Amino acid sequence: MEFERDHNTSSSSLPSLCKQLASSTLRGSLEPHIPVVDLSASDEDLVVRAVVKASEEWGIFQVVNHGIPTELMQQLQVVGKQFFDLPEAEKEAVAKEEDFEGYKRNYLEGIKAWDEHLFHRIWPPSCINYKYWPKNPPQYREVNEEYTRHMKKLTEKILGWLSEGLGLSPVALTKSLGGEMAEYVIRVNFYPPSPKSELALGAAVHTDIGAITLLVPNEVPGLQVFKDEQWLDLEYINSAVVVIIGDQLMRMSNGRYNNVLHRATLDKENLRISWPVFVAPKHDLFVGPLPELTGDENPPKFETIVYKDYLHQTIRNWTLDKLPLY
Ligand code: OGA
Ligand code: NI
């Protein structure tokens, strides 16, 4: 999800609390696997088909051989971890104020929420607020800027394939998100080991509000997705990028692509960190089923509304909905 998660709840549009409670995570040889797509396969049509199928059936997949240098991904993780290892007072230098950007400590009521995070825009340059980018470690900015360039390229490539899957021109989805003005925001989720890991979640059950999320986790498992009435673990693959379809791609595709329900569990002994980059439409754009995809035979399944309004409505629902996390 994209914005504040302090009220760790499901929105009214999310499945019932039972699903949060359902700890019946399916494990073992029968467990279906979240798809993995090798982007270096020589036949691009096969790649497109695999990405489209995974987005329809799962709404989540991992990509390998994606072109982002492994070393850069490691550097991203090193500078992120170095920031969280700073004394609290130094982290407070980039503390969240009234908006969503900045550093926030979130160990509410002992176990209801258990994370710290750092949130800041990374694209477009005109929206970046460097006030929320850590000055320490000193390489933080350079590494994140380099990572942004790669992230944007990979995102646009995937959006191109997803556009093709809808029978549209490869630039259709990127354009509908505002082209160069589409917004990219990184969130560094820092989930320390939790003695009450069975009771608390690092990230409550949710779908991501934006269009698409590209996430890199450290090696500690925790991300789970809900499929066929079961929670499934994401298997860690070194240097892979996890792609998550968000609400807006589901809406724009008139329901063809699945906004996957997911959550993050905590580990008893190990520190888990994840680096999602959320890609969202420019805030004042109207977003809804693309007109090319709808007609008499295919009526729009979703309302077309200004993204900013969708965002605020969803956050308001999370906030009003006082369900506890567990
Ligand atoms: C998120 C999210 C999962 C994770 O931040 O929206 O789903 O693995 N995070 O941290
Ligand atoms: Ni999410």
Side-chain angles (χ1 to χ4, degrees), residues 42-61:
S42 55
D43 185 346
E44 193 175 332
D45 281 350
L46 285 183
V47 174
V48 177
R49 258 183 277 151
V51 163
V52 168
K53 187 164 186 276
S55 304
E56 290 173 338
E57 290 178 7
W58 286 80
I60 185 168
F61 52 98

Side-chain angles (χ1 to χ4, degrees), residues 2-3 96 100-102 117-120 185-187 278:
E2 224 162 280
F3 288 81
K96 189 187 300 269
F100 70 91
E101 286 183 281
H117 62 254
L118 172 68
F119 223 151
H120 57 78
V185 184
I186 196 166
R187 175 169 168 140
F278 304 101

Side-chain angles (χ1 to χ4, degrees), residues 1-2 5 187 189 191 203-204 206 208 213 215 217 222-224 244 262-264 272-276 278:
M1 95 192 52
E2 224 162 280
R5 210 161 41 205
R187 175 169 168 140
N189 291 311
Y191 308 112
H206 67 282
D208 287 351
T213 305
L215 177 147
L223 180 56
Q224 296 188 325
I244 299 172
H262 57 284
R263 68 182 185 185
R272 177 154 189 278
I273 316 183
S274 66
W275 286 259
F278 304 101

Side-chain angles (χ1 to χ4, degrees), residues 6 8 24 28 31 36 39 71 92 94 96 99 105 118 126 134 148 173 177 195 204 225 230 255 271 273 298 308 323:
D6 290 358
N8 285 289
S24 53
E31 181 183 339
V36 179
L39 302 190
E71 195 181 309
E92 292 294 332
V94 292
K96 189 187 300 269
D99 202 4
R105 228 178 129 72
L118 172 68
S126 59
T148 301
L173 286 172
L177 296 176
V225 303
Q230 292 287 348
L271 167 66
I273 316 183
N298 250 332
K308 192 172 40 193
L323 293 171

Side-chain angles (χ1 to χ4, degrees), residues 76-279:
L76 178 85
Q77 302 195 20
V78 168
V79 294
K81 169 91 169 36
Q82 281 173 339
F83 169 75
F84 282 97
D85 284 342
L86 293 175
E88 204 46 41
E90 277 195 62
K91 290 189 272 189
E92 292 294 332
V94 292
K96 189 187 300 269
E97 290 165 0
E98 64 289 342
D99 202 4
F100 70 91
E101 286 183 281
Y103 166 73
K104 179 93 194 268
R105 228 178 129 72
N106 210 12
Y107 301 114
L108 289 177
E109 298 171 43
I111 55 172
K112 275 195 186 168
W114 193 260
D115 79 310
E116 286 173 53
H117 62 254
L118 172 68
F119 223 151
H120 57 78
R121 292 186 171 97
I122 55 176
W123 188 270
S126 59
C127 292
I128 292 180
N129 201 339
Y130 285 111
K131 168 169 130 178
Y132 297 113
W133 290 45
K135 301 265 174 306
N136 194 3
Q139 316 82 328
Y140 187 90
R141 176 166 166 174
E142 193 189 335
V143 170
N144 273 264
E145 285 179 341
E146 180 69 6
Y147 187 67
T148 301
R149 282 191 282 278
H150 284 276
M151 261 291 122
K152 186 162 173 284
K153 221 162 113 187
L154 178 59
T155 303
E156 288 175 355
K157 202 188 252 185
I158 294 170
L159 288 174
W161 294 330
L162 292 176
S163 300
E164 283 182 45
L166 298 170
L168 304 174
S169 116
V171 294
L173 286 172
T174 301
K175 245 174 138 173
S176 305
L177 296 176
E180 288 299 299
M181 295 305 285
E183 195 172 271
Y184 289 62
V185 184
I186 196 166
R187 175 169 168 140
V188 188
N189 291 311
F190 184 88
Y191 308 112
S194 166
K196 303 197 171 115
S197 63
E198 312 85 17
L199 295 175
L201 286 174
V205 177
H206 67 282
T207 58
D208 287 351
I209 307 176
I212 192 166
T213 305
L214 272 67
L215 177 147
V216 171
N218 74 347
E219 72 291 352
V220 178
L223 180 56
Q224 296 188 325
V225 303
F226 197 70
K227 180 144 192 322
D228 302 332
E229 306 300 308
Q230 292 287 348
W231 284 104
L232 302 173
D233 290 309
L234 178 101
E235 202 184 317
Y236 174 74
I237 302 175
N238 192 16
S239 298
V241 172
V242 183
V243 181
I244 299 172
I245 302 292
D247 295 353
Q248 306 317 311
L249 278 190
M250 192 256 304
R251 289 159 35 75
M252 291 160 89
S253 66
N254 206 24
R256 276 270 308 273
Y257 297 137
N258 180 41
N259 60 339
V260 67
L261 201 57
H262 57 284
R263 68 182 185 185
T265 57
L266 298 165
D267 195 278
K268 257 197 170 53
E269 275 140 32
N270 300 300
L271 167 66
R272 177 154 189 278
I273 316 183
S274 66
W275 286 259
V277 170
F278 304 101
V279 183

